[in-house]
Amino acid sequence: MEQPSSTERDPSAADPEDFHAFVASRGTPLYRTACLLTGGDTNQAEDLVQETLGRMYAKWGRRNGIENPAGYAQTILVNAFISSRRKSSTERAGLEASAAADTAEHVDVPLRLTLLDALRRLPAQDRAVLVLRYWEDRSIDDTAAVMRLSSTAVRSQSMRALAKVRELLGADFVEFVEN
């Protein structure tokens, strides 16, 4: 009986240790991004990461066709988030739990909560653009590729979303940051 080539492997033939190493290295960054995308809703963030990793595992046996597994996982995460926003217009609050998790990183918790609240108020696509551009420090072209938008659309959406965040935070925010 002829063995299938490595490019024809099905997902069940994936190396579990290899996938486990991928999850160990990318799980935390995916979760952090998911927390930002969800406006601090840790339950929804966990669901998004679980969905992302499930889809990744389904393709893992054929990952020779995936040029950049970390980038592909990020794309799946963002698309899953945007899709979930289309399905549900309700937001759940989980900001306190997310902020508590970040205290180990010496983050100013009140500032973090304020920013997460502003992010949570943005439409899903605006939130995704800001998270990818400014939290993950992706280029305009990378963000456009992940979100399947043009570079011009990413620039415009970034500017509008930042203006909306500034409006939500108000003029007193500068004083809040400086204190």
Side-chain angles (χ1 to χ4, degrees):
M1 178 180 250
E2 188 175 319
Q3 293 286 334
S5 71
S6 61
T7 57
E8 297 175 25
R9 293 183 348 193
D10 65 275
S12 63
D15 181 4
E17 289 181 23
D18 195 23
F19 185 74
H20 179 71
F22 173 79
V23 171
S25 70
R26 296 302 309 157
T28 300
L30 285 170
Y31 178 71
R32 285 183 183 153
T33 300
C35 281
L36 287 168
L37 289 171
T38 62
D41 184 337
T42 57
N43 293 321
Q44 187 184 13
E46 289 171 357
D47 290 346
L48 285 172
V49 171
Q50 183 67 31
E51 182 177 346
T52 298
L53 294 176
R55 289 183 188 179
M56 284 297 296
Y57 188 75
K59 301 239 183 217
W60 198 253
R62 299 175 296 221
R63 74 179 184 281
N64 291 341
I66 301 173
E67 193 172 308
N68 177 359
Y72 186 66
Q74 196 70 37
T75 300
I76 292 172
L77 180 74
V78 170
N79 289 338
F81 166 71
I82 291 171
S83 176
S84 73
R85 295 293 74 180
R86 288 184 192 126
K87 294 175 188 171
S88 168
S89 63
T90 60
E91 294 274 351
R92 295 172 285 179
L95 300 175
E96 292 78 10
S98 177
D102 285 333
T103 57
E105 296 178 26
H106 308 293
V107 173
D108 182 356
V109 175
L111 175 60
R112 176 96 171 159
L113 288 172
T114 302
L115 290 172
L116 282 172
D117 184 53
L119 270 177
R120 185 178 48 80
R121 294 182 194 186
L122 295 176
Q125 194 140 350
D126 287 351
R127 194 180 319 168
V129 165
L130 291 182
V131 168
L132 291 172
R133 285 283 295 129
Y134 300 106
W135 173 262
E136 295 199 355
D137 199 27
R138 288 183 177 244
S139 70
I140 290 171
D141 291 335
D142 286 348
T143 302
V146 168
M147 297 190 65
R148 297 183 180 133
L149 298 171
S150 70
S151 296
T152 303
V154 168
R155 280 188 201 93
S156 298
Q157 200 161 4
S158 294
M159 289 174 45
R160 282 193 308 269
L162 284 173
K164 180 67 174 172
V165 166
R166 287 184 190 106
E167 177 185 316
L168 290 169
L169 296 175
D172 296 334
F173 185 70
V174 173
E175 292 174 22
F176 177 70
V177 172
E178 291 174 354
N179 291 331

